[in-house]
Short mmCIF file of all heavy atoms in Angstrom, two decimals:
data_model
loop_
_atom_site.label_atom_id
_atom_site.label_comp_id
_atom_site.label_asym_id
_atom_site.label_seq_id
_atom_site.Cartn_x
_atom_site.Cartn_y
_atom_site.Cartn_z
N PHE A 65 182.31 100.21 141.62
CA PHE A 65 181.95 101.55 142.08
C PHE A 65 180.43 101.70 142.12
O PHE A 65 179.74 101.20 141.23
CB PHE A 65 182.56 102.54 141.09
CG PHE A 65 182.53 103.98 141.49
CD1 PHE A 65 183.58 104.56 142.17
CD2 PHE A 65 181.42 104.77 141.16
CE1 PHE A 65 183.55 105.91 142.52
CE2 PHE A 65 181.39 106.11 141.51
CZ PHE A 65 182.45 106.68 142.20
N VAL A 68 178.20 108.51 143.20
CA VAL A 68 178.53 109.60 144.12
C VAL A 68 177.63 110.80 143.88
O VAL A 68 177.11 111.00 142.80
CB VAL A 68 180.01 110.06 144.01
CG1 VAL A 68 180.95 108.99 144.56
CG2 VAL A 68 180.38 110.40 142.57
N GLY A 69 177.45 111.60 144.94
CA GLY A 69 176.70 112.84 144.81
C GLY A 69 175.50 112.88 145.74
O GLY A 69 174.83 111.86 145.97
N PRO A 82 181.50 115.65 145.43
CA PRO A 82 181.58 114.20 145.23
C PRO A 82 181.98 113.79 143.80
O PRO A 82 182.71 112.83 143.62
CB PRO A 82 180.16 113.73 145.55
CG PRO A 82 179.58 114.78 146.44
CD PRO A 82 180.23 116.07 146.06
N GLU A 83 181.47 114.54 142.78
CA GLU A 83 181.75 114.19 141.38
C GLU A 83 183.25 114.14 141.10
O GLU A 83 183.71 113.44 140.20
CB GLU A 83 181.12 115.21 140.44
CG GLU A 83 179.60 115.18 140.39
CD GLU A 83 178.93 115.86 141.58
OE1 GLU A 83 179.63 116.49 142.40
OE2 GLU A 83 177.69 115.73 141.70
N GLN A 84 184.02 114.92 141.88
CA GLN A 84 185.47 114.94 141.64
C GLN A 84 186.10 113.58 141.90
O GLN A 84 187.17 113.27 141.39
CB GLN A 84 186.15 116.02 142.50
CG GLN A 84 185.75 117.43 142.12
CD GLN A 84 186.00 117.74 140.65
OE1 GLN A 84 187.06 117.45 140.12
NE2 GLN A 84 185.00 118.30 139.98
N ALA A 85 185.43 112.75 142.71
CA ALA A 85 185.97 111.42 143.00
C ALA A 85 185.99 110.56 141.74
O ALA A 85 187.01 109.95 141.41
CB ALA A 85 185.14 110.74 144.09
N ILE A 86 184.89 110.55 141.02
CA ILE A 86 184.84 109.69 139.83
C ILE A 86 185.71 110.29 138.72
O ILE A 86 186.43 109.57 138.02
CB ILE A 86 183.37 109.43 139.37
CG1 ILE A 86 183.33 108.43 138.22
CG2 ILE A 86 182.61 110.67 139.01
CD1 ILE A 86 183.79 107.05 138.56
N LEU A 87 185.69 111.62 138.59
CA LEU A 87 186.55 112.25 137.58
C LEU A 87 188.01 111.99 137.91
O LEU A 87 188.83 111.69 137.03
CB LEU A 87 186.26 113.75 137.50
CG LEU A 87 184.84 114.11 137.01
CD1 LEU A 87 184.61 115.63 137.10
CD2 LEU A 87 184.62 113.65 135.56
N ARG A 90 188.99 108.34 137.14
CA ARG A 90 189.15 108.16 135.69
C ARG A 90 190.49 108.71 135.22
O ARG A 90 191.18 108.09 134.42
CB ARG A 90 188.01 108.86 134.95
CG ARG A 90 186.66 108.19 135.12
CD ARG A 90 185.55 109.07 134.54
NE ARG A 90 184.23 108.46 134.74
CZ ARG A 90 183.08 109.09 134.52
NH1 ARG A 90 183.07 110.35 134.09
NH2 ARG A 90 181.93 108.48 134.71
N ASN A 98 185.37 104.20 127.90
CA ASN A 98 184.13 103.96 128.63
C ASN A 98 183.15 103.20 127.74
O ASN A 98 182.80 103.68 126.66
CB ASN A 98 183.56 105.32 129.05
CG ASN A 98 182.33 105.22 129.94
OD1 ASN A 98 181.48 106.10 129.90
ND2 ASN A 98 182.23 104.20 130.77
N ARG A 100 179.44 101.86 127.37
CA ARG A 100 178.09 101.99 127.90
C ARG A 100 177.11 101.28 126.97
O ARG A 100 176.56 101.87 126.03
CB ARG A 100 177.71 103.47 128.06
CG ARG A 100 178.61 104.14 129.08
CD ARG A 100 178.12 105.49 129.53
NE ARG A 100 178.83 105.88 130.74
CZ ARG A 100 178.62 106.97 131.43
NH1 ARG A 100 177.68 107.82 131.02
NH2 ARG A 100 179.31 107.25 132.51
N ARG A 128 182.62 105.89 124.88
CA ARG A 128 182.83 107.30 125.22
C ARG A 128 184.27 107.51 125.68
O ARG A 128 184.74 106.80 126.57
CB ARG A 128 181.85 107.67 126.36
CG ARG A 128 182.09 109.02 127.00
CD ARG A 128 181.18 109.22 128.22
NE ARG A 128 181.48 110.46 128.89
CZ ARG A 128 181.08 110.77 130.13
NH1 ARG A 128 180.35 109.92 130.82
NH2 ARG A 128 181.41 111.92 130.67
N LEU A 130 187.03 109.20 127.84
CA LEU A 130 186.77 109.59 129.23
C LEU A 130 187.87 110.42 129.89
O LEU A 130 187.74 110.81 131.05
CB LEU A 130 186.57 108.29 130.04
CG LEU A 130 185.55 108.24 131.15
CD1 LEU A 130 184.21 108.79 130.71
CD2 LEU A 130 185.36 106.79 131.62
N TYR A 135 185.95 118.35 129.54
CA TYR A 135 185.94 117.94 130.96
C TYR A 135 187.26 118.27 131.64
O TYR A 135 187.29 118.63 132.81
CB TYR A 135 185.69 116.43 131.08
CG TYR A 135 184.25 116.03 131.24
CD1 TYR A 135 183.31 116.36 130.27
CD2 TYR A 135 183.84 115.29 132.34
CE1 TYR A 135 182.00 115.96 130.40
CE2 TYR A 135 182.52 114.89 132.48
CZ TYR A 135 181.61 115.23 131.51
OH TYR A 135 180.31 114.84 131.65
N PHE A 136 188.35 118.01 130.92
CA PHE A 136 189.67 118.12 131.56
C PHE A 136 190.56 119.18 130.91
O PHE A 136 191.64 119.46 131.40
CB PHE A 136 190.40 116.77 131.50
CG PHE A 136 189.75 115.71 132.36
CD1 PHE A 136 188.97 114.72 131.78
CD2 PHE A 136 189.92 115.72 133.73
CE1 PHE A 136 188.36 113.74 132.57
CE2 PHE A 136 189.33 114.75 134.53
CZ PHE A 136 188.55 113.76 133.95
N ASN A 242 184.07 112.92 125.28
CA ASN A 242 183.64 112.87 126.67
C ASN A 242 182.30 113.57 126.90
O ASN A 242 181.37 113.00 127.47
CB ASN A 242 184.74 113.50 127.52
CG ASN A 242 184.76 112.98 128.95
OD1 ASN A 242 183.82 112.34 129.41
ND2 ASN A 242 185.84 113.27 129.65
N LEU A 243 182.17 114.79 126.39
CA LEU A 243 180.95 115.57 126.65
C LEU A 243 179.74 115.02 125.87
O LEU A 243 178.68 114.79 126.44
CB LEU A 243 181.18 117.04 126.28
CG LEU A 243 179.97 117.96 126.51
CD1 LEU A 243 179.62 118.05 127.99
CD2 LEU A 243 180.25 119.36 125.95
N GLY A 245 179.40 112.10 124.70
CA GLY A 245 179.13 110.75 125.21
C GLY A 245 178.35 110.79 126.51
O GLY A 245 177.51 109.92 126.77
N ASP A 246 178.62 111.78 127.33
CA ASP A 246 177.88 111.92 128.58
C ASP A 246 176.40 112.11 128.28
O ASP A 246 175.53 111.46 128.86
CB ASP A 246 178.44 113.12 129.36
CG ASP A 246 177.67 113.37 130.66
OD1 ASP A 246 177.42 112.39 131.39
OD2 ASP A 246 177.32 114.53 130.93
N ILE A 247 176.12 112.99 127.35
CA ILE A 247 174.72 113.34 127.04
C ILE A 247 174.03 112.20 126.30
O ILE A 247 172.94 111.77 126.68
CB ILE A 247 174.69 114.65 126.21
CG1 ILE A 247 175.33 115.79 127.01
CG2 ILE A 247 173.25 114.98 125.82
CD1 ILE A 247 175.67 117.02 126.18
N SER A 249 174.71 109.08 126.18
CA SER A 249 174.53 107.81 126.90
C SER A 249 173.34 107.88 127.86
O SER A 249 172.68 106.88 128.09
CB SER A 249 175.81 107.39 127.62
OG SER A 249 176.22 108.34 128.57
N ASP A 250 173.04 109.05 128.40
CA ASP A 250 171.81 109.16 129.20
C ASP A 250 170.58 109.00 128.31
O ASP A 250 169.61 108.35 128.69
CB ASP A 250 171.73 110.52 129.91
CG ASP A 250 172.23 110.46 131.35
OD1 ASP A 250 173.14 109.65 131.62
OD2 ASP A 250 171.73 111.22 132.20
N SER A 264 178.27 99.81 133.20
CA SER A 264 179.30 100.44 132.38
C SER A 264 180.68 100.01 132.85
O SER A 264 180.85 99.57 133.99
CB SER A 264 179.19 101.96 132.41
OG SER A 264 179.73 102.48 133.60
N SER A 266 184.88 101.30 132.57
CA SER A 266 185.85 102.31 132.17
C SER A 266 187.22 101.69 132.26
O SER A 266 187.67 101.34 133.36
CB SER A 266 185.77 103.53 133.10
OG SER A 266 184.44 104.00 133.14
N GLU A 276 180.80 100.53 137.01
CA GLU A 276 179.76 101.25 137.75
C GLU A 276 178.46 101.22 136.98
O GLU A 276 178.45 101.13 135.76
CB GLU A 276 180.19 102.70 138.01
CG GLU A 276 180.53 103.46 136.74
CD GLU A 276 180.80 104.96 136.95
OE1 GLU A 276 180.19 105.57 137.85
OE2 GLU A 276 181.60 105.51 136.19
N PRO A 277 177.34 101.34 137.68
CA PRO A 277 176.07 101.49 136.96
C PRO A 277 176.08 102.82 136.22
O PRO A 277 176.75 103.76 136.65
CB PRO A 277 175.03 101.49 138.09
CG PRO A 277 175.78 101.94 139.30
CD PRO A 277 177.17 101.43 139.14
N SER A 278 175.33 102.90 135.13
CA SER A 278 175.30 104.16 134.36
C SER A 278 174.50 105.24 135.07
O SER A 278 174.61 106.42 134.75
CB SER A 278 174.70 103.93 132.98
OG SER A 278 175.65 103.33 132.14
N HIS A 279 173.69 104.84 136.05
CA HIS A 279 172.86 105.83 136.72
C HIS A 279 173.62 106.48 137.88
O HIS A 279 174.72 106.07 138.24
CB HIS A 279 171.57 105.18 137.23
CG HIS A 279 171.81 104.05 138.19
ND1 HIS A 279 172.26 104.26 139.48
CD2 HIS A 279 171.71 102.71 138.03
CE1 HIS A 279 172.39 103.09 140.08
NE2 HIS A 279 172.07 102.13 139.23
N GLY A 280 172.99 107.48 138.48
CA GLY A 280 173.63 108.22 139.56
C GLY A 280 173.23 107.73 140.93
O GLY A 280 172.74 106.60 141.10
C1 IPM B 30 178.55 110.08 134.15
C2 IPM B 30 178.26 111.19 135.10
C3 IPM B 30 179.57 111.93 135.41
C4 IPM B 30 180.07 112.51 134.10
C5 IPM B 30 179.46 113.00 136.50
C6 IPM B 30 178.96 112.40 137.81
C7 IPM B 30 180.76 113.71 136.72
O1 IPM B 30 177.29 112.04 134.60
O2 IPM B 30 179.33 109.17 134.50
O3 IPM B 30 177.99 110.10 133.04
O4 IPM B 30 179.67 113.62 133.73
O5 IPM B 30 180.86 111.85 133.45
#
Side-chain angles (χ1 to χ4, degrees):
F65 190 92
V68 290
E83 291 78 7
Q84 293 305 313
I86 185 65
L87 295 174
R90 289 171 182 169
N98 186 210
R100 296 193 165 182
R128 170 187 176 196
L130 217 48
Y135 268 59
F136 292 103
N242 206 346
L243 180 65
D246 178 46
I247 300 165
S249 61
D250 264 31
S264 78
S266 306
E276 57 173 327
S278 283
H279 59 72

